[in-house]
Structures are given as structure tokens and as C-alpha cells.
Amino acid sequence: MTAHVEQPYVYTQRELVEPDWTRFPGWRDVTPAQWEDAQWQRVNCVKNIKQLRDLMGDLLQERFYADLERDQAERATMSMLVPPQMMNTMVAATADPMPAAGADFTAAFYADPVRLYMLPVFSDRRTDWPSHPYATRDSLHEHDMWAVEGLTHRYPTKVLAEMLPTCPQYCGHCTRMDLVGNSTPQVAKLKLAGKPVDRYAAMLDYLQRTPQVRDVVVSGGDVANMPWKNLEAFLDQLLRVDNIRDIRLATKALMGLPQHWLQPDVVEGIERVAKTAHERGVSLAIHTHVNNTASVTPLVAKASRTMLEVGVRDVRNQGVLMRGVNDSADQLLDLCFALQDGAMITPYYFYMCDMIPFSEHWRVSLAEAQHLQHAIMGYLPGFATPRIVCDVPFVGKRWVHQVESYDRELGMSFWRKNYRTSIEAADTEAISRDYVYYDPIYSLPESGQQWWRSQGDHGADLEIAMARAAASRDAASRAADLLAVH
């Protein structure tokens, strides 16, 4: 008999539970039939402070609304849009009693991990470094790599098709915050210029003329906001492009609005598309975006399993690593097991939060990400062990241990790549150049933080750091050569 061995993480299979939405005063009379109706969910999204007040009744103290209002005016890069399905996973009261109205509920709401990224407030944000000096609206430079409007060609064999600029829900940390959603006082959103039908035609024309592309991520925004007949028409045409072998539908709404993916017309349409994809030897998958265990409910599991039953090859999760939301090994493993056991969703990636404005309070350092990757290894099946990746500007996804060199004092990591993006055809140094990613400054030792405070010319800073990194690599290379000789 094998003796019990105590482990750092103890696996427990947990039953998924749909929180009782009637605990919120504004939904006291909502029926199960209403709750499971996609149109009811869309109509009853929380889009402003008044609607949040109407929902919460006397649960929240006034200080929270003032905090939220200030954030919307001074910091928010995304407007408010939270579907009932997502609101219902905040202070879910499934394992513990419902906190008392007033101070207790307000404290629990402030601490809630889903609230932290869906309804950010001013007091969440850093006051010392609310934004990194190198934060940018389009932090991944996706627009620079548009082959045609909305079609980003960054990787040699893969493209990203931004079909539309809206979602059923707006996440505070959205990496496409310069294009997606309504403008805020801080961010005047860009607009797609072409008519949708013209943009889609241009995308398909480019793919037909570019046989090295085999993989298309159909995204936005969120494809759940696209009328199904329009999405199916695009997918049918995409499936006629001989070189396309992988199609991935990107939709956070599988979690945020599972009711959409359970509508009969959508289910039947997915079945038709999946059947055609199978006949043509194309892999059709759905990629969703779940960041915390609380978001995995029976309705989410039903939507995922339904997609698999009608022929989707796989449903995978791409979360974002965020402080306070999922920044511990236990939180990540709990989430991965809930996805895998409860919903048949394969944990796939956790991205380090991108360097957009006002995101510093969410971001973790590369060192923390490396530690978390190490800590979750060995518990999950290999195919369901998520890779924690850094999406390096002008490079792309890199597993956090693939860093070339790392200056922990200044919080600068240096990366290389093995391909050219679509804008680097004539750049002979693209593959040998160092590309930089930055830790949040508050996570650095005091000497590193002081260095950043003292700098005025960040361009000069970067040159100094690059030289420092090159010297470190040269020294390591010389040491390796000496070892090889001896």
C-alpha cells in the first residue's frame, strides 16, 4: 500500500455550482428561463454606475461607487460592460455565507478576483506607477502588422482576423483597448474604416494569395457579437481556402455569456461548420478566456461540452496572469482543474498582462511568472499543463523561461526570435536583435525603482540597459567557452 505523501498542492475534485442570482436585490424575481436566455443577458448587462446601484440595492457602501466613478473618469481604458453571468460570479456565496449588506459585502466585493479585472476602481490602481513609462495603447503593435485592415500577420504561418471591435463584456485589462469598445475619458478609440463586407473580402483575398498561412484566429472583439449568419458565411468561405488547416474561434463569451453559445441557431450552425471542417481536414477549435475558478459554472460547462458534442475539436483556455486574480500556484491549479474536470476545457496559455496604460497593478514580474510555471508543473496532464508566456512586442509569445537575459534590478528582460514579422522582410537584423520587455517597476528592488525615478530620457535608459545585457551575455558565452576547453 502506498503511503500518503503530503504535497504543496492538494487536488480535490469539486462540483461546479451556479451561484444564486436572486441574492442580488435587482435580480430577486429573475426566473431560470430568463437567466438562460441570451437576449435577457445582453439587455441586462451592467453598463454604468446607476445600473450597478439598481442591481446591488443596499449591499454596497457609497464609497465603492465613488471609487468606481473616479476610475471611470481618470483611469479606465475600457467602458463598463458586465453580463449578468459574470456579475453573478462576484462574491458568489456558494461555499461561504453571503456577507452582510454594507461594510462586510463591500469588503468582499473589493477583494473579489472577478471584480478586480471586470470592474476596476481607482483605489485598485498604483499611485506611484499607474502606467509603465513604455506602456502603449497597441502594446503588441498589432496594427503595424495589418496585412489588410484587421488582419494581423505577425507569425510566419498564422494570422489574427479582428472581425469586429465589440464584445459582450469589456475586461479592464483588454490588450486591444485602443480599438475595442466605447471611448473613455482616457482613450479615444480607433475605428475600423472599411465596411465589414469589404474587410472580410480583403482578408480572404489575402489568405488566398498567401499560401504560407495555414492557421487563422477568428477574433475581434469577440465573435459572439457577430450575427451568426455573418460569422458562418465567413467561416464557410475560409474553409474553401486550400492552405488553411486550423481555425480558432476566440470568444470570452463562452464563459461570460455561455447562453449565446447554447442558442439553437448557434449550436446548429457550429455543427454545420464543424462537419465541413472535418470533411476538409481542417481543425476547428474554440479559444476562451477564463481567469479565475469562480467563473467556471455549470452553464459554462454545458456550453463547452455542447460545442464538443457537435464537432468542435477542442475548447481551450487562454487566461491572463494578474495580481490578485490568479497569481498563486493554488489559484492557477484550482482553475485548471475546474476547467479540465468540470467543463472539458483544456488549459492552454496564461499570458503575462500586456503593457497597456494603467495596467501596472495587475502585472507581475517575469521572475514571478517563472516561479508560477515551475510551481504548477507535475500536477496536470502534460497536454493540459498551461504554458505561461510573455507576449513580447514585435516578437510574439515566448515561454517565460525562454528569456535570453534578465536584468532583475532594472526589470528588463531581453528576448530573441527565429522569424520575421510581415513588416520585417528587409530587416536583416530582425532575428539577431534583442527585444525588450519590462517588469512592473513597483516589483523591483529599491535600487531599481530609484534608477527609474531618476531617469528622464527613457531612450537613453534603454541603450544603457541593452549594452548591459549584451555585456552579460558576452561574459556568459566566454565562460561557457572556457568550460568547453577544459
Side-chain angles (χ1 to χ4, degrees):
M1 183 175 178
T2 304
H4 173 73
V5 178
E6 185 174 345
Q7 303 291 356
Y9 173 82
V10 179
Y11 166 73
T12 303
Q13 190 167 352
R14 297 178 175 87
E15 183 179 357
L16 302 184
V17 179
E18 203 76 44
D20 178 11
W21 56 85
T22 64
R23 74 190 184 283
F24 292 124
W27 292 335
R28 199 156 280 155
D29 299 322
V30 173
T31 66
Q34 287 175 303
W35 189 262
E36 294 181 13
D37 181 76
Q39 186 59 24
W40 185 93
Q41 288 278 328
R42 289 183 186 272
V43 168
N44 289 278
C45 285
V46 172
K47 299 184 283 290
N48 54 52
I49 291 173
K50 179 185 182 304
Q51 291 176 341
L52 184 64
R53 286 181 185 276
D54 292 344
L55 172 63
M56 291 295 176
D58 64 350
L59 290 175
L60 277 176
Q61 293 177 312
E62 185 60 33
R63 65 188 177 98
F64 182 85
Y65 298 114
D67 207 356
L68 178 59
E69 185 174 27
R70 184 177 180 187
D71 193 74
Q72 288 288 304
E74 300 180 31
R75 290 288 182 268
T77 60
M78 299 297 291
S79 56
M80 288 171 58
L81 184 63
V82 189
Q85 178 73 26
M86 291 199 74
M87 285 297 314
N88 195 38
T89 62
M90 301 179 196
V91 193
T94 53
D96 300 306
M98 178 78 164
D104 289 352
F105 185 89
T106 302
F109 201 62
Y110 264 111
D112 187 86
V114 179
R115 196 286 305 167
L116 277 166
Y117 80 90
M118 288 303 299
L119 285 174
V121 293
F122 188 87
S123 64
D124 293 336
R125 315 269 186 181
R126 303 290 305 186
T127 54
D128 49 359
W129 297 101
S131 294
H132 194 281
Y134 288 115
T136 58
R137 290 168 51 121
D138 180 16
S139 64
L140 301 179
H141 304 278
E142 288 180 336
H143 298 173
D144 296 331
M145 300 176 206
W146 275 358
V148 298
E149 187 180 40
L151 190 73
T152 300
H153 191 173
R154 188 194 333 188
Y155 301 99
T157 63
K158 300 182 285 185
V159 296
L160 165 72
E162 296 176 73
M163 305 298 290
L164 72 171
T166 64
C167 295
Q169 65 284 305
Y170 291 145
C171 310
H173 65 281
C174 181
T175 188
R176 298 192 183 113
M177 46 74 63
D178 64 323
L179 177 68
V180 171
N182 303 312
S183 293
T184 72
Q186 297 301 313
V187 182
K189 304 289 176 150
L190 302 178
K191 300 295 182 184
L192 292 167
K195 294 180 180 179
V197 65
D198 295 332
R199 287 191 291 104
Y200 305 158
M203 291 177 183
L204 291 163
D205 177 67
Y206 178 81
L207 294 173
Q208 288 164 343
R209 293 184 288 103
T210 315
Q212 64 266 33
V213 174
R214 62 171 303 283
D215 183 352
V216 181
V217 178
V218 183
S219 183
D222 189 314
V223 295
N225 263 22
M226 202 170 166
W228 174 256
K229 63 182 178 60
N230 296 353
L231 179 57
E232 185 171 359
F234 180 83
L235 294 174
D236 282 344
Q237 293 178 77
L238 188 57
L239 283 164
R240 295 190 186 106
V241 180
D242 288 341
N243 43 290
I244 302 306
R245 313 315 304 159
D246 273 286
I247 298 173
R248 294 178 266 169
L249 305 180
T251 173
K252 187 187 180 86
L254 190 76
M255 175 275 288
L257 191 69
Q259 294 85 350
H260 169 82
W261 293 100
L262 289 167
Q263 294 177 109
D265 64 322
V266 175
V267 174
E268 292 162 9
I270 283 284
E271 187 168 24
R272 287 191 297 271
V273 173
K275 182 175 184 293
T276 303
H278 181 74
E279 290 170 351
R280 298 183 182 177
V282 177
S283 173
L284 177 70
I286 290 178
H287 283 196
T288 193
H289 175 181
V290 187
N291 292 324
N292 189 270
T293 314
S295 298
V296 188
T297 75
L299 269 174
V300 174
K302 183 179 179 182
S304 172
R305 289 171 181 267
T306 299
M307 294 297 98
L308 294 169
E309 287 167 6
V310 297
V312 169
R313 175 177 173 175
D314 204 357
V315 179
R316 306 181 186 111
N317 185 60
Q318 298 186 148
V320 174
L321 194 62
M322 287 183 283
R323 194 172 304 284
V325 177
N326 53 23
D327 61 336
S328 74
D330 282 6
Q331 286 174 315
L332 288 178
L333 288 168
D334 283 350
L335 171 55
C336 290
F337 282 120
L339 291 167
Q340 182 76 355
D341 293 351
M344 295 186 73
I345 297 174
T346 303
Y348 181 41
Y349 279 138
F350 281 100
Y351 290 81
M352 295 179 67
C353 186
D354 290 321
M355 291 177 56
I356 58 168
F358 305 120
S359 66
E360 289 303 275
H361 65 294
W362 284 308
R363 296 203 307 124
V364 301
S365 70
L366 177 65
E368 290 173 286
Q370 290 173 332
H371 168 75
L372 286 169
Q373 182 72 84
H374 175 82
I376 66 174
M377 299 299 289
Y379 288 95
L380 292 148
F383 66 87
T385 299
R387 286 169 286 177
I388 299 178
V389 294
C390 182
D391 208 343
V392 183
F394 291 114
V395 176
K397 293 180 288 295
R398 285 292 180 269
W399 184 40
V400 291
H401 287 87
Q402 288 182 295
V403 63
E404 289 283 330
S405 63
Y406 184 17
D407 187 328
R408 294 196 182 196
E409 182 184 15
L410 301 186
M412 296 183 184
S413 51
F414 299 87
W415 309 77
R416 295 278 179 92
K417 63 182 180 180
N418 57 330
Y419 49 79
R420 293 180 175 85
T421 66
S422 57
I423 60 174
E424 294 168 327
D427 187 349
T428 58
E429 297 182 359
I431 296 176
S432 59
R433 181 182 298 117
D434 282 311
Y435 298 84
V436 192
Y437 190 84
Y438 301 91
D439 285 347
I441 294 172
Y442 72 86
S443 70
L444 306 181
E446 181 54 36
S447 59
Q449 293 189 44
Q450 184 56 43
W451 186 86
W452 279 98
R453 290 189 202 104
S454 67
Q455 306 304 309
D457 182 352
H458 293 298
D461 303 344
L462 185 54
E463 289 185 12
I464 293 168
M466 296 284 278
R468 182 167 161 171
S472 173
R473 271 197 308 278
D474 290 345
S477 178
R478 288 194 297 272
D481 290 343
L482 284 172
L483 284 173
V485 169
H486 295 293

